[in-house]
């Protein structure tokens, strides 16, 4: 039996600002992100295994992505911690807001790299991360493929 790709989609709302950017995205704003997570592996062939025929239980994949990404980033605001936005972040945190201070400029490109590392570290040995697609608008998205990395 060959390899099969399994994809699960997620939605979350996140705000951010791009410090030093020369367009509107330098202002604090938000997106309704859509994240597609594709893993690859061989379906379980052990007839005594409760997950016979599955590459990975969709529920198990959902648990990983929700815990490490969706539950963390949903309704949070992300700032690059190496910019003056840390002053704004501190003010928001002091007022009870959920703020993430990232080691990177919070573009879709950098977020998808971060998400790939987080997901890869949690997958079972026999499952590989194949691709991620992070869509920030209906017409704009960033993709990560294992084959490119």
């Amino acid at each position: 039996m060959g390899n099969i790709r399994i994809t699960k989609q997620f939605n979350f709302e996140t705000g951010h600002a791009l410090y030093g950017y020369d367009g509107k995205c330098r202002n604090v704003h938000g997106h309704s992100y859509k994240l597609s997570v594709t893993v690859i592996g061989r379906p379980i062939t052990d007839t005594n295994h409760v997950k016979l025929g599955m590459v990975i239980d969709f529920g198990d994949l959902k648990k990983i992505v929700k815990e490490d990404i969706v539950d963390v980033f949903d309704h949070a605001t992300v700032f690059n911690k190496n910019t003056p936005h840390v002053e704004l972040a501190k003010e928001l945190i002091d007022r009870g807001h959920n703020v993430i201070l990232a080691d990177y400029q919070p573009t879709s490109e950098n977020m998808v790299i971060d998400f790939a590392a987080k997901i890869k570290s949690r997958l079972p040995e026999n499952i590989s991360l194949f691709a991620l697609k992070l869509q920030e608008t209906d017409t704009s998205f960033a993709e990560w493929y294992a084959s490119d990395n």
Side-chain angles (χ1 to χ4, degrees):
M1 189 175 286
N3 283 324
I4 302 294
R5 297 176 200 160
I6 300 296
T7 301
K8 181 107 179 104
Q9 297 179 318
F10 302 87
N11 298 300
F12 55 95
E13 309 290 329
T14 302
H16 70 154
L18 303 179
Y19 181 76
Y21 182 65
D22 62 353
K24 290 181 181 180
C25 292
R26 71 179 173 268
N27 298 307
V28 178
H29 65 287
H31 297 285
S32 296
Y33 286 98
K34 296 175 186 174
L35 176 66
S36 296
V37 178
T38 303
V39 298
I40 189 168
R42 296 184 182 273
I44 296 167
T45 57
D46 178 354
T47 57
N48 294 316
H49 198 289
V50 297
K51 306 220 176 167
L52 173 67
M54 295 181 181
V55 170
I56 186 172
D57 187 317
F58 284 114
D60 294 341
L61 183 56
K62 178 180 178 180
K63 181 179 189 307
I64 291 167
V65 177
K66 275 189 59 46
E67 287 177 359
D68 284 7
I69 297 165
V70 175
D71 291 347
V72 175
F73 283 81
D74 190 36
H75 286 83
T77 304
V78 185
F79 296 114
N80 181 338
K81 74 176 186 179
N82 298 310
T83 70
H85 278 138
V86 294
E87 297 168 17
L88 176 58
K90 183 182 181 325
E91 175 71 22
L92 289 170
I93 291 167
D94 289 347
R95 293 175 180 263
H97 290 264
N98 184 8
V99 174
I100 297 169
L101 293 172
D103 292 327
Y104 53 82
Q105 181 83 309
T107 61
S108 289
E109 296 90 336
N110 284 330
M111 289 171 68
V112 82
I113 291 168
D114 179 32
F115 296 171
K118 286 175 166 59
I119 294 167
K120 283 171 34 176
S121 73
R122 298 268 317 266
L123 290 174
E125 283 183 23
N126 60 325
I127 308 295
S128 298
L129 183 59
F130 181 82
L132 294 178
K133 178 179 178 180
L134 182 62
Q135 192 168 346
E136 73 174 36
T137 70
D138 286 339
T139 61
S140 303
F141 55 89
E143 294 179 295
W144 178 97
Y145 286 91
S147 61
D148 297 336
N149 295 283

